[in-house]
Amino acid sequence: MFLVRFALFWILLALLFGTLEAEYKETADKLNEITNPEKYHKYLRPHNKGYPVNVTVRITVVHFVAVKEMDEEFSLDLVIWQQWKDPRLSHSLNYTITLPADSKKFIWLPDTVFLNVRSATIHDVISENSKVSINPEGLVTYSARITMTAGCPMDLTDYPIDEQNCDLEMSTYAYTRDELDFEWLEGSAADQVIVKDRHLAELALTGTEAMKEFEFDTDGGNSGVTHAKLRARFWFKRRLGYALTQIYIPTIMLVVLSWLAFWIPQESIPARVALGSTTVLSIVTFTGSFRGSMPKVSYIKAVDVYFIVSFAFIFAAVVEYVLVLLSTGVKRQRPTQFSNNNGNDTGHGKTESQELQEVRAEMPVSPKGKLNKRRLKSVRVAKEYMQYAFIKNEASSIDRVCRYFFPCCYAIFNLIYWVYYESVSFGLDHPASDA
């Protein structure tokens, strides 16, 4: 009994290997038959001298590498999927033949080119990332993974509150529209341009758009020659986190710092001059360091407007102190009689320290215990300083006005700035729907 089972096992194993070998041989023979150079000319397109070859395209973006404003370009890692029908490759097998990258040299492939590419790399680790599949009807599918950098002209008028769109343009170099026609895969833009990873550090992908156009005379020949062209458009909106922390908040702090001069007594010339010159030099240095990382464009950007206006406020704070000194000098040139009258009343004048000491002396002692007394004293001391800062000090009338005028004007400017640049799109036509 054991010998019978052993014999049956070897018979089944031999039949299995024989079947597999027959299948391998059948596939190999059929592949050699349909790609035989004597019958299949890989340099000639399907339907040669007939109707054009329709190539269906789909793009899958694995991830975006970077978007560089300085070079006006963007980099991405993508898989391009192309499908067309070649009747010469139809076969009698009841399954699709899938082949690795090396097999593409045996069949005709469309000469797809990226018109605005600057550099590109085909992934070949561990092996080349591409494949070819042929179904029984001769429908050929070719896909390859590519990392490329393409040009992206940008309008930075509203930078860094801007929205950008970057295009990826595909066409054919050798074949005209009457010989080869590109089409996007049927469906919505989300099916034609698939984005797997939307993450970008500074930008957010808000939508995609797939368009078909025609490229005229790309090879420098007759002006009537046209080539089919596909355009994949990616819409980006800049995140404000980086701009707020690195640009706007430091600039606002410098402007507010310059306003502290309005509370410094006008007699403290070194303190006010030092504060004014420090804030002016700080914003000039800050602006220069930031502009070094931006492209040199001939128009004014939104961030330039903010820097210029902020610098004007800081510079105006310095000029304001000059006006205070001039006003003081004019008062000192008044008739001596006026000054004598003021001199007779000097006994009634009080210095700043005297005013603070009198207010502290008049504070009533709370009968509710030591803890309540300390709390009441802290509140009254804070009230003293607030009254002295805004009411009882001997500041110039110009300083008093500027304490309120400068913050109100700067707040109005910020309101107008943010509303305007957030609401204006600067000519960008957004896609009908986000992908």
Side-chain angles (χ1 to χ4, degrees):
M1 190 66 182
F2 173 76
L3 293 176
V4 174
R5 291 180 178 179
F6 185 76
L8 289 174
F9 170 77
W10 281 106
I11 292 172
L12 292 175
L13 189 63
L15 291 174
L16 177 62
F17 277 110
T19 303
L20 293 176
E21 184 178 358
E23 291 180 355
Y24 289 141
K25 187 176 185 305
E26 181 185 20
T27 303
D29 291 342
K30 184 59 66 175
L31 184 61
N32 291 330
E33 177 185 344
I34 61 178
T35 60
N36 186 355
E38 296 181 359
K39 298 180 181 180
Y40 182 86
H41 301 281
K42 63 180 180 180
Y43 301 109
L44 298 178
R45 67 177 180 87
H47 318 296
N48 188 37
K49 295 183 179 181
Y51 53 88
V53 181
N54 292 316
V55 180
T56 304
V57 178
R58 181 182 66 196
I59 289 178
T60 301
V61 178
V62 180
H63 70 278
F64 291 95
V65 180
V67 179
K68 300 179 181 179
E69 298 83 5
M70 193 70 178
D71 302 321
E72 292 191 328
E73 64 183 21
F74 74 113
S75 303
L76 68 166
D77 184 3
L78 60 86
V79 175
I80 180 171
W81 180 92
Q82 301 176 86
Q83 189 177 74
W84 65 95
K85 189 170 185 179
D86 191 344
R88 299 172 297 176
L89 296 177
S90 58
H91 54 83
S92 58
L93 302 177
N94 58 357
Y95 53 86
T96 298
I97 302 175
T98 302
L99 304 171
D102 294 339
S103 60
K104 65 183 180 181
K105 61 185 178 181
F106 298 111
I107 64 173
W108 178 88
L109 296 177
D111 63 331
T112 307
V113 296
F114 291 92
L115 299 177
N116 59 334
V117 68
R118 294 184 178 178
S119 62
T121 303
I122 297 179
H123 290 256
D124 55 359
V125 180
I126 298 175
S127 58
E128 183 177 336
N129 297 177
S130 63
K131 70 174 184 177
V132 176
S133 61
I134 308 171
N135 77 350
E137 289 76 23
L139 194 63
V140 184
T141 303
Y142 172 68
S143 60
R145 184 179 177 185
I146 308 171
T147 296
M148 65 174 59
T149 299
C152 179
M154 300 183 185
D155 183 1
L156 301 175
T157 304
D158 53 344
Y159 179 89
I161 321 172
D162 57 328
E163 297 181 27
Q164 302 293 341
N165 59 71
C166 295
D167 296 344
L168 198 60
E169 301 175 356
M170 294 167 287
S171 183
T172 171
Y173 191 84
Y175 299 103
T176 65
R177 177 186 177 185
D178 298 329
E179 297 170 329
L180 190 148
D181 192 17
F182 282 111
E183 294 287 349
W184 287 107
L185 183 69
E186 292 185 2
S188 63
D191 300 323
Q192 298 162 349
V193 181
I194 302 172
V195 181
K196 289 187 174 181
D197 186 359
R198 293 171 171 258
H199 175 72
L200 278 168
E202 194 175 350
L203 298 169
L205 180 68
T206 59
T208 60
E209 190 174 4
M211 298 171 286
K212 180 180 178 179
E213 302 171 355
F214 296 100
E215 184 74 13
F216 293 90
D217 194 22
T218 57
D219 57 356
N222 298 325
S223 59
V225 175
T226 59
H227 301 262
K229 182 173 74 171
L230 298 182
R231 184 190 300 269
R233 177 165 292 175
F234 305 95
W235 295 85
F236 301 100
K237 183 175 178 59
R238 196 172 305 277
R239 305 177 193 270
L240 280 178
Y242 176 82
L244 286 175
T245 57
Q246 301 296 323
I247 300 174
Y248 292 104
I249 292 179
T251 304
I252 292 173
M253 293 177 66
L254 285 175
V255 175
V256 173
L257 182 63
S258 68
W259 298 341
L260 298 181
F262 304 147
W263 276 267
I264 299 177
Q266 62 185 26
E267 295 81 9
S268 303
I269 297 178
R272 294 192 67 160
V273 172
L275 179 60
S277 59
T278 300
T279 51
V280 169
L281 293 175
S282 297
I283 195 169
V284 170
T285 304
F286 180 72
T287 304
S289 62
F290 175 76
R291 287 178 178 173
S293 60
M294 288 298 300
K296 296 176 176 59
V297 295
S298 58
Y299 50 84
I300 296 179
K301 302 183 290 292
V303 68
D304 296 332
V305 173
Y306 202 87
F307 280 144
I308 292 172
V309 175
S310 298
F311 176 80
F313 271 90
I314 294 176
F315 186 76
V318 178
V319 174
E320 183 270 348
Y321 183 54
V322 176
L323 296 178
V324 170
L325 293 179
L326 292 176
S327 176
T328 304
V330 171
K331 290 180 180 179
R332 289 176 180 174
Q333 297 298 325
R334 289 181 178 180
T336 55
Q337 183 180 359
F338 181 76
S339 61
N340 291 335
N341 292 336
N342 289 343
N344 294 333
D345 296 336
T346 54
H348 301 285
K350 297 179 182 179
T351 62
E352 299 172 1
S353 59
Q354 289 174 344
E355 289 181 359
L356 292 175
Q357 290 174 1
E358 289 181 4
V359 174
R360 292 194 184 99
E362 293 174 359
M363 290 176 56
V365 179
S366 175
K368 294 183 179 180
K370 190 174 181 180
L371 181 60
N372 292 335
K373 183 178 180 181
R374 288 180 179 177
R375 291 177 178 175
L376 183 61
K377 183 178 179 181
S378 300
V379 172
R380 289 185 175 273
V381 170
K383 184 178 180 180
E384 293 173 19
Y385 282 100
M386 294 296 293
Q387 289 179 346
Y388 176 74
F390 293 95
I391 301 174
K392 294 184 177 181
N393 58 17
E394 299 178 354
S396 168
S397 59
I398 299 178
D399 281 341
R400 291 178 183 272
V401 172
C402 290
R403 291 174 185 175
Y404 303 96
F405 179 73
F406 273 64
C408 290
C409 290
Y410 197 63
I412 293 173
F413 160 71
N414 274 274
L415 178 62
I416 296 174
Y417 176 89
W418 288 104
V419 170
Y420 175 73
Y421 282 106
E422 282 288 352
S423 60
V424 179
S425 60
F426 292 93
L428 292 181
D429 298 325
H430 296 272
S433 60
D434 291 343

